[in-house]
Structure formats: structure tokens, C-alpha cells
Amino acid sequence: MAGAKRERSNRKLPDEGPVALPETDDGTILFNVPFPKDLAQLKAMAPIILKQSYQIDYIHSYGQDSPFFAGLANGKLLGTACTKCGYKYATPKLHCMDCGSECDWFELPQIGAVHTFTVCYFGSEEFLKETPFVLILVEWPGVDTLFLSRLLGVDPLNPSLDWVGMKVQAKFRRLSKFKPTDVYFVPA
């Protein structure tokens, strides 16, 4: 064994030329970094500032509401109905809020009616640039609850009580963002 160690340590590496790390273009690359000719000026050198984007991939589950968002992505509006008492929800529930039984999915019609509305002059960051906008509660015959959504195609600066009872049609974003705002309504 001792002889084998001695042999290895006495071997010479083939001459491969200068050793260097491979150059890649990932990460931060700086070009033309200012550097003073007189090293005494280094203390006066301005700081190098790098602007780097920061990204986090969030893992998010829609859990029991996954079918609802899958429906929106496929141009379908889904509600749920209680398997025991038959109570129908326009905004899906996994279990009935009346009797506690499990609910099954069903497809809502794409035409509904405005139950009530409000004009929003302030909104969250997502809607701030669109203010004022109209929020409506949509109703369907035989469905026990209402569905909150936006109404486009009307002038929010000239609201009218004639909007109450107006037939509206569901429209879906072409590129789903898996948000409740993937569906909106327009006058039918």
C-alpha cells in the first residue's frame, strides 16, 4: 500500500495549459466597471449598484374549489347543490350551509339577471386603475344564492335602476389567471 501511495504522489499531471472556470452568461454580468487609475482614489469610488429581479414560485392549492377555477379556465361557470336538501349555491360550497351534507357540482347557465349593483369608486390594487367599476350580484332561477362579479359594458358614471333585473351574460378571460375575476358579465 505504501508503495502505491508513493507512485501516485510522484506522478505528474499532463500539461493542460492554464486552468480556468467555464464562463457562463447566467447570473449578474457587469461590463465597463469604472476603476480609477490611481489606487489612492479607490476610497472615493462610488458604490457599484446592482438591480436584480427577485422571484418566488408559490405553490398554491385551490383545494375544494379547484373544479370551480378549472371550470372558469374552460368557459364554464360552476355552482354546487346539496345532495340531501337540494339547496343550490351560485358560489360553490363543499358542504351545505343549511344541513351540512356534501354538495355536488353543477353547471350554471351563462345567462343570469342583475339582482342588485353598486358602483365602486375605489378598489384594491388590481382594480384601482379601472375605477369606477360596477359590481353586481347575479341571480338565476332555481339557484338559492347570488354570485358576485363585475359588469362591463355599462357606464358606471350614469348608473340606472333599470340595471336591476337586466339580463346579463357570462364572459371569460381568454387567458385564465385562476382568479374569480376570470369571469365577468356583460348585458345580454
Side-chain angles (χ1 to χ4, degrees):
M1 273 310 236
K5 278 188 180 177
R6 205 173 304 129
E7 257 182 67
R8 267 192 240 144
S9 63
N10 291 336
R11 272 194 277 171
K12 291 185 180 182
L13 294 173
D15 186 17
E16 296 178 5
V19 178
L21 291 174
E23 294 289 338
T24 63
D25 60 357
D26 59 338
T28 303
I29 300 171
L30 295 175
F31 297 96
N32 299 326
V33 177
F35 196 81
K37 291 182 182 186
D38 181 5
L39 295 182
Q41 300 296 319
L42 283 174
K43 289 184 179 179
M45 188 173 133
I48 297 173
I49 299 172
L50 301 177
K51 182 179 178 183
Q52 293 179 309
S53 61
Y54 183 73
Q55 177 181 340
I56 297 176
D57 292 329
Y58 288 99
I59 297 174
H60 179 80
S61 169
Y62 288 95
Q64 67 189 27
D65 293 329
S66 293
F68 174 77
F69 290 99
L72 293 182
N74 288 281
K76 297 187 181 303
L77 194 55
L78 300 176
T80 54
C82 177
T83 56
K84 185 176 179 183
C85 71
Y87 199 89
K88 288 188 172 184
Y89 297 91
T91 303
K93 308 286 181 221
L94 183 61
H95 287 86
C96 181
M97 294 176 61
D98 192 43
C99 73
S101 296
E102 190 173 350
C103 291
D104 283 337
W105 293 94
F106 73 95
E107 189 172 350
L108 288 161
Q110 303 234 342
I111 302 285
V114 175
H115 179 78
T116 190
F117 71 91
T118 187
V119 177
C120 299
Y121 291 90
F122 183 79
S124 64
E125 183 179 349
E126 185 162 345
F127 298 116
L128 197 53
K129 62 186 178 294
E130 298 175 25
T131 56
F133 60 91
V134 179
L135 277 181
I136 58 172
L137 286 173
V138 182
E139 64 182 353
W140 291 273
V143 178
D144 299 299
T145 64
L146 305 170
F147 186 83
L148 179 68
S149 190
R150 291 190 311 151
L151 177 62
L152 302 181
V154 295
D155 184 1
L157 298 176
N158 292 308
S160 170
L161 289 177
D162 292 339
W163 295 353
V164 175
M166 176 175 65
K167 296 290 182 201
V168 289
Q169 180 174 357
K171 295 287 183 180
F172 302 87
R173 287 185 188 262
R174 189 174 58 83
L175 301 174
S176 176
K177 301 197 183 303
F178 286 92
K179 294 182 177 183
T181 54
D182 285 350
V183 63
Y184 58 93
F185 287 80
V186 296

